[in-house]
Amino acid sequence: SGAVNPYPVGLEQALNNIVFLRGGRAGERFNDLNRVAYTAGLGIRRGETSVDFSWRRRLSRALPNEPLVHSFAVSVAFPVGAK
């Protein structure tokens, strides 16, 4: 079927339980750097509120002439409503 099953590997480091650094990679063969997807992130948490920044470089199956796609995301999570 030609399906790709990448192997994921990642680490997360918490600093003072406030700042979180993440990094990871996934691929079928880690020695072929052009065929490996990478992820990185930075999270900040205070109480029940968190802000997260992330970056991902992945392979594009739809664009064979441009095989690498970079994406960025920002998310904010906080409680809503009364307890």
Side-chain angles (χ1 to χ4, degrees):
S1 70
V4 176
N5 295 313
Y7 301 105
V9 176
L11 293 172
E12 179 175 89
Q13 176 67 47
L15 307 173
N16 295 330
N17 207 25
I18 295 172
V19 176
F20 297 84
L21 301 172
R22 293 182 308 282
R25 62 194 274 182
E28 291 180 304
R29 295 179 309 217
F30 288 130
N31 60 345
D32 185 356
L33 297 181
N34 290 323
R35 304 293 301 164
V36 175
Y38 294 93
T39 63
L42 168 70
I44 301 168
R45 185 179 342 167
R46 291 292 287 172
E48 295 182 38
T49 301
S50 65
V51 178
D52 190 73
F53 304 91
S54 65
W55 164 80
R56 180 172 72 166
R57 185 194 91 160
R58 64 179 172 84
L59 305 174
S60 172
R61 304 274 181 237
L63 303 171
N65 294 331
E66 296 184 31
L68 300 178
V69 176
H70 295 270
S71 60
F72 301 90
V74 177
S75 64
V76 178
F78 54 91
V80 178
K83 289 185 176 184

